[in-house]
Amino acid sequence: MYQKTIGYSRQYIDQDDINSVIEVLKSDFLTTGPKVDEFEEAIKKYLNVKHAVCVSSGTASLHIAALSLLNKGDKVLTTPNSFLATSNAIVYAGAIPIFVDVDAHANIDLNLCEDILKKGNSIKAIFAVDFAGNMIDPEGLIYLKEKYGVKILEDCAHSLGATWKNYKAGDCKFCDVATLSFHPVKSITSAEGGCIVTNNDYIAKKALMLRNHGIVRNKNEFIYKDDDNPLYFEMQDLGFNYRLSDVHSALGLSQLKKIDFFLETRRKLAKIYDAAFVDTQIKPLHTNAESSYHLYVVRVNFKELGKNRSSIMKSLKSKGIHLQTHYIPINAQPFYQNMGYNPHSTPKALEYYNQCLSIPLFVGLTEQDQKFVIDALKSEILS
C-alpha cells in the first residue's frame, strides 16, 4: 500500500512565505495596511492594469464586480460549469443568470452566446469563466462586446498566469473587469483572498468603497462638506466588510514572486499526464498551450466502458488518491432548479459533468506520486 494521501490539489508554502507572514505579525499592522497596497501594486504590475482592489475572497471579488457592472433585472450570460460563486454574484446583484452550454474546453460556448445575442438586446453582460486555467478566446469576447454592446467580466479564479497570443488572463484588454481568487489551491494563495482588476476608474472607485462598508474618506468626494471633524467619513452606499488583511497580503505577495515557477511546474506535470494517456479511454480535457493548469481534468465515458465513476473514486480514495469532479452544473443545484432552471437545457455541460475527473496536479507532486496516480487510474478505468 502506498503510504501517502494525494489530493487533487494543495498549496505550496516555503520558508519565504512563512517569513513574510511572521514579519507582518511582528509589525504594527495586521488588518488593512501597507502590505495590502504593496500586494495591489504587484498585481497591477504583473497584469499591466490600472487598478487592483484586493478583497477577502474570490467570491467577494465577484460580488463587488457584479454590483459595479450590473443593474437589477439585467440578464447575464454565464456558464453552468463553474463554482457557484460566479452565478451567485449575478443573483446577489439582483440580475438574472442565463446559462449557456459549454464548448470542447468546458468553457462557455461563445457561438451559442452570439446565437442568444442575435435575438435582441436584453442581454447586458457575459460572465466568462476561464475553466481549469484555459482562457476563453479574447478575440471572440472582443467581437461580442463590440458588436452587441455587452459588458464582459472575466472570472480568472482558475487562470492567473495563463496567456492567449498577446493576451494575459486578467489584463483587462478584452473585458471591463476581471476577478481573481487566492484560495489555497489556486495559482497563488493568500490563504483566503481575491482581487478586482480593471482599467475602468468608475469600477475601481466603487470597488474600493464597497469593500469597506460603502465608506468614503476622501474629503473631495464628500456629499456633505460642512463637517470640520478631521476624522469625518461618509457612508455613501451599502457596502461590506470585504477588506483583505496585511497578513494575507504578505503571503500573497510572497507567492506572486514565485508564480513563474508555479506555472512552469504545473505545465511540466500536465505534459507527463498528456503523454501517459495518449491513445487510451482516459481523455485529457482539451487545453490551449498557455493554460495555467489550475486543474488537470480527464474525461472518461464510464457508461461506454461499463464502469461506475463513484466506485472508481471510492476505490482510488482507499488507495490514498482523492479525486474531484469540477463541476456539478450550477443549473442542477436545487436553489437554481427552484428558480426554474433545468440542467437538461445545457446538455453538453451535463454530459461533461458525468464524464469528468480532476486528478492530482499541484506544485509538490513528486515523480513517484504522479506515476502512482497514473498507474492506479489506468488500472481502475482501463482494466
Side-chain angles (χ1 to χ4, degrees):
M1 179 64 68
Y2 199 71
Q3 298 298 317
K4 195 169 186 180
T5 297
I6 309 172
Y8 83 92
S9 191
R10 62 165 289 128
Q11 69 274 12
Y12 177 89
I13 301 294
D14 64 13
Q15 193 60 47
D16 287 339
D17 298 326
I18 294 167
N19 292 342
S20 296
V21 172
I22 290 172
E23 181 183 348
V24 170
L25 290 174
K26 293 179 176 179
S27 75
D28 293 332
F29 294 91
L30 295 183
T31 56
T32 304
K35 280 296 175 185
V36 176
D37 294 337
E38 193 177 341
F39 189 26
E40 290 173 342
E41 287 299 318
I43 293 168
K44 287 194 290 185
K45 182 177 180 180
Y46 180 72
L47 294 176
N48 192 27
V49 293
K50 190 174 181 180
H51 303 286
V53 180
C54 283
V55 290
S56 55
S57 69
T59 300
S61 71
L62 282 163
H63 186 188
I64 287 179
L67 290 171
S68 301
L69 281 184
L70 305 175
N71 295 310
K72 289 184 178 180
D74 283 355
K75 293 180 180 178
V76 182
L77 303 183
T78 192
T79 176
N81 186 39
S82 180
F83 185 58
L84 300 163
T86 306
S87 59
N88 285 357
I90 298 168
V91 178
Y92 294 158
I96 303 165
I98 306 294
F99 293 105
V100 180
D101 217 345
V102 300
D103 62 13
H105 296 277
N107 276 328
I108 191 171
D109 189 320
L110 296 184
N111 291 321
L112 294 179
C113 287
E114 183 168 26
D115 289 343
I116 295 170
L117 290 166
K118 285 178 180 177
K119 296 176 182 178
N121 60 358
S122 63
I123 305 299
K124 302 302 182 184
I126 300 174
F127 277 32
V129 178
D130 296 332
F131 175 68
N134 296 309
M135 285 182 67
I136 297 176
D137 178 5
E139 293 167 355
L141 288 171
I142 290 171
Y143 166 77
L144 296 179
K145 180 176 173 62
E146 292 180 349
K147 183 169 183 177
Y148 298 99
V150 289
K151 299 172 183 176
I152 305 292
L153 178 147
E154 185 189 13
D155 183 340
C156 302
H158 292 188
S159 60
L160 184 63
T163 58
W164 180 304
K165 297 181 182 177
N166 295 322
Y167 299 94
K168 179 183 282 190
D171 67 10
C172 296
K173 291 179 181 177
F174 54 92
C175 65
D176 297 276
V177 63
T179 58
L180 312 177
S181 171
F182 306 132
H183 182 276
V185 298
K186 300 297 172 48
S187 297
I188 64 169
T189 186
S190 59
E192 276 287 7
C195 190
I196 301 111
V197 292
T198 184
N199 292 319
N200 184 296
D201 294 343
Y202 167 79
I203 292 173
K205 180 179 175 182
K206 186 156 187 175
L208 284 167
M209 180 171 60
L210 290 178
R211 79 170 176 184
N212 186 31
H213 303 281
I215 289 173
V216 172
R217 297 186 184 276
N218 184 342
K219 65 179 181 179
N220 295 322
E221 298 173 2
F222 290 162
I223 295 172
Y224 304 115
K225 302 180 184 296
D226 56 352
D227 193 314
D228 62 358
N229 177 2
L231 299 179
Y232 176 75
F233 64 84
E234 290 184 347
M235 176 184 161
Q236 296 182 356
D237 203 344
L238 183 60
F240 313 91
N241 183 357
Y242 280 169
R243 298 185 302 268
L244 192 66
S245 77
D246 264 31
V247 175
H248 292 88
S249 296
L251 177 56
L253 188 60
S254 177
Q255 288 261 304
L256 186 57
K257 294 173 183 177
K258 295 186 281 283
I259 191 167
D260 289 341
F261 163 66
F262 291 162
L263 292 167
E264 180 183 350
T265 303
R266 286 176 177 273
R267 288 168 179 159
K268 187 182 298 183
L269 293 168
K271 286 181 180 179
I272 294 171
Y273 278 139
D274 289 345
F277 300 133
V278 167
D279 297 327
T280 74
Q281 294 301 309
I282 303 171
K283 305 293 185 183
L285 182 68
H286 291 292
T287 60
N288 56 64
E290 298 81 23
S291 174
S292 64
Y293 285 104
H294 163 60
L295 301 171
Y296 191 93
V297 180
V298 297
R299 295 185 67 163
V300 179
N301 192 329
F302 296 100
K303 187 176 181 180
E304 186 178 89
L305 293 175
K307 299 282 186 174
N308 181 277
R309 180 173 65 177
S310 178
S311 297
I312 289 171
M313 292 176 72
K314 289 175 182 176
S315 178
L316 289 169
K317 185 176 180 180
S318 72
K319 297 174 182 178
I321 302 170
H322 295 237
L323 307 182
Q324 256 291 4
T325 52
H326 294 96
Y327 287 99
I328 302 167
I330 298 173
N331 52 354
Q333 294 292 346
F335 173 83
Y336 283 95
Q337 291 205 51
N338 288 339
M339 292 175 68
Y341 294 95
N342 183 344
H344 296 285
S345 68
T346 52
K348 289 183 180 179
L350 196 57
E351 178 185 66
Y352 161 80
Y353 164 63
N354 287 322
Q355 296 179 355
C356 72
L357 284 173
S358 296
I359 69 176
L361 188 145
F362 51 89
V363 179
L365 185 70
T366 68
E367 183 178 332
Q368 184 182 18
D369 293 340
Q370 193 173 25
K371 184 179 186 305
F372 177 64
V373 170
I374 291 167
D375 291 345
L377 275 170
K378 286 183 173 180
S379 176
E380 290 286 345
I381 294 172
L382 304 180
S383 62

